[in-house]
Amino acid sequence: MNLAIILGLLNLVFSQIQTNQTINPTNLNQTIQCPICESTFNCLTNKNSCNEFASCSTNGQCICPDGWTGVDCSKPACNSTNFEPQFRTPRSGNQCQCDNGFIGQNCNVCTQDSVCKGRSNAPVGSTYVCNKLNTVWQNSNMYCDVSVAELAFLFPNKVTATVNRNITGGTTLANLWYEDIEQFYCKAEQCSQKIVDLEYIWSCQQVKCRCIPGTKFCGNGGTIDLTRIIETEVSGSFSVNFPSETADMGTLFFDSLKAVFKKGLPLGPCRVGECVDPGYKINLLPVVTPPLSPAAIAGIAVGSGFLGLILFSLIIAKIYQLRLRKIPLPAPRTGAQLRFRDISYEVNNKSILKNVSGCANSGRLMAILGPSGAGKSTFLDILAGKKKSGKVFGDILINGKTMSSKKFRAISGYVDQEDLLIPNLTVKETLLFSANLRLPEGVTKLQKEKIVQETLDTLGLSHIENSKIGGNGVRGISGGEKRRVSIGVELVTSPSILFLDEPTSGLDSYNAMMVVKTLHTLANKGGKTLIFTIHQPRSDVYKLFDDVLLLAKGSVMYMGDAKEAETVFANQGSPCPSGYNIADHLLDIATLEALNEKPEAGVGIAVDAFIISDQTNETLRLRKSNKMEKSDFSDPYSIIDSNSSYSNSGSDPNSTTYLTSTENTETFSVSFLTQLNQLMGRSSKILFRESGLLLAHVLISIILGAFVGALYWRADSSLGGFQNHLGSNFFCLSLIGFSSLSAIGTFTTERLIFLRERSNGFYGPFPFFLSKILFDILPLRLIPGILMGTITFFMIGYGGSFLKYIVVVLLFSSQCGMFCLAIACAITDFGTATLVAAISMLFQMLMAGFLINAGRKKKKFLIFFF
């Protein structure tokens, strides 16, 4: 009955929307009922002439159910169920005069055992009792008050319901009464009862209803006419639930209204009674269901297993961290000799480097000179062990011995040509981040801070240690100071060999001089081996070089002492003009050699390469191979013994460990937990110092949440209200989805930093990914989702569980953020990534169920598409 009431309300709203008119009861059609002539009545001529869905006998008379009488079963019967239906007295007026101990609109409900003793149709010897339990033994009747708050303003007077439940036939007959007048009746079949966890449930299928013409619910002076709704649209299944067998307050659930009334419609207080022989007593055994559905249990099991795996992994990671901290610290690193012989490099059968040989010694600063395209940076990358796409050949020795790439990376550092630094970190924080991730786990916090402070003093950065790096709109330090910070990032690890690619690029002459002077000090006083490329240095800068390697078209033109280069070339017939910069003179010679032109007069002629002899037989062959010997997994901090012999005796070539530019090894100085801790600390600083993005997400979510809530304020359960619920949900999810596109921009700015730091051994991809989850998804996706979801839920008035609603919103927001991060990882170009992500989200929304009915369109779409 309550289903018809609610559907009637929807009908009212829908009709008002369609006609935009006020419903006037006087305009409703009045149905005039003519008295039925009993002598001519024949239900065989009209199958719907019997009310209450009564059956028709072979003689054309209606067989009325208990509580109904008259030729067409349209009159409520009085007395009690102790009389046969055909002998019960029809109601006169709007109320029945029930026998003592019976109640209800048609006196069907017994109230005590004693009133059932005089049942006229009782078998001889039977002792009937009144079953007042909700459990049906045979043919139970129920009389309930009905109070639906949503409809009280439409039907303010008394609304009651009578229900007959027949367990033998599996049927239900229900009647709705308004002001003691029957309004409509419904019949359901395939009914059954059960008790689940002490809750009584009566459920039925195949519901059908009929309106009583001339009643207020069906067109006679009422606010709305439910005839069409009741007779054509009420269908499906329903159930009546009571907390126990004796409870008098129940709940009516309609499958068709679950989306609107998830908690059902209230029913009661109710009086239940049937006069029945105790022999028909039914004892329902409770069906004990698990507290959770199988799907929920499976989900909890998977989630528990996942959490257990995480906990186990954290325990293993902690054990590994403690183990690393117990490893004895290596001795301070000194410079190492690096010899290279016959280094060649080919890409697509094109030769880039040709048999480059030479030597870089500790305590000396070696500069690699040459015109553009000479192969300077390529050669430096090969010496540093960087991955190259082409084929690499040649021999490399460290202190006259072989070394795996893992160990070599542990004792060397590499400074790129461009300064990729976090703008919102200070100088000291930048160096501390490098020290915390690249120094061994056993180095204490105080020791790391001391090392960082010494590095700042060495590089002349102590006076700006608390200044922000700057960049991207953030005011910071100068370009020369940034270059020294980049050097400091590598220097905190005290590398034996430090490679630098164009350290003076983009600097003015003064800052370039200061950078090279710093490098000279590190090499001569610090005992380090420094190798760097440089393009067109000034004469005073050139004087700071200890050794020079001059390249032309990938070949060596000179390798030796920087101060002797002028003499060597002069002896070869190419003297440097008076007052001319020797560096420019060398570059002129290399440029003419590259162009295959004869030098002009006064410049000199091309000379044979001057190569320091390399007599050692110990080699480190570079190959395009993924083979790694067992020694590759030894302690990466066991640096070559500084007392090892530099003699030419060498080691057995058959025991060589291969270092290859394509070798896929990844070893870090610290544990996973330390990496994650440092990345989280840096991410938190970036998030709160660049607070504009976080504030924008929070403020926009609050403002848009309030806007949507006001736009769809208190949407009701009518047809229009249901459309508003869908519209508001779609709009909110669209806002959340497209706001997640900001994840692409934030990741794009960090991509190059991540690639460089990973290649330099700072951390692995997994801790970086977790830090992005914690400081992108949580603050920028979940917090705005919670704010917007909470505001809209209570302003619009969504029904159901707030917790379930907000969980779905958060899952959707997280999915959008992760999806945008995945797009940003797959597509490097910011504009393309944004376009692909936006279009992909639009198609996801198209298939989400708001804009297209997948069930009805899927087949047609597939046929059309294929």
Side-chain angles (χ1 to χ4, degrees), residues 53-88:
F53 296 107
S55 59
C56 183
S57 66
T58 56
N59 59 4
Q61 300 298 309
C62 296
I63 303 174
C64 300
D66 261 3
W68 298 94
T69 187
V71 293
D72 60 348
C73 304
S74 61
K75 297 180 179 180
C78 297
N79 305 113
S80 69
T81 57
N82 285 336
F83 296 89
E84 292 291 339
Q86 64 270 25
F87 298 122
R88 295 180 65 174

Side-chain angles (χ1 to χ4, degrees), residues 37-56:
C37 183
E38 297 185 7
S39 62
T40 61
F41 180 83
N42 189 339
C43 60
L44 294 176
T45 60
N46 184 357
K47 63 179 181 179
N48 292 326
S49 59
C50 293
N51 292 314
E52 309 302 328
F53 296 107
S55 59
C56 183

Side-chain angles (χ1 to χ4, degrees), residues 297-313:
I297 294 175
I300 292 176
V302 173
S304 300
F306 182 70
L307 292 176
L309 180 62
I310 292 177
L311 181 60
F312 177 76
S313 301

Side-chain angles (χ1 to χ4, degrees), residues 310 313-318 320-322 324 437 441 668-680 762-771 774:
I310 292 177
S313 301
L314 290 176
I315 293 174
I316 297 299
K318 186 63 178 179
Y320 180 68
Q321 183 186 51
L322 296 175
L324 285 180
L437 288 175
E441 192 82 54
F668 304 101
S669 303
V670 295
S671 64
F672 166 81
L673 291 181
T674 302
Q675 295 176 39
L676 181 59
N677 179 57
Q678 292 300 316
L679 285 167
M680 288 172 57
F762 280 70
Y763 48 78
F766 188 53
F768 177 79
F769 171 75
L770 288 182
S771 68
L774 294 174

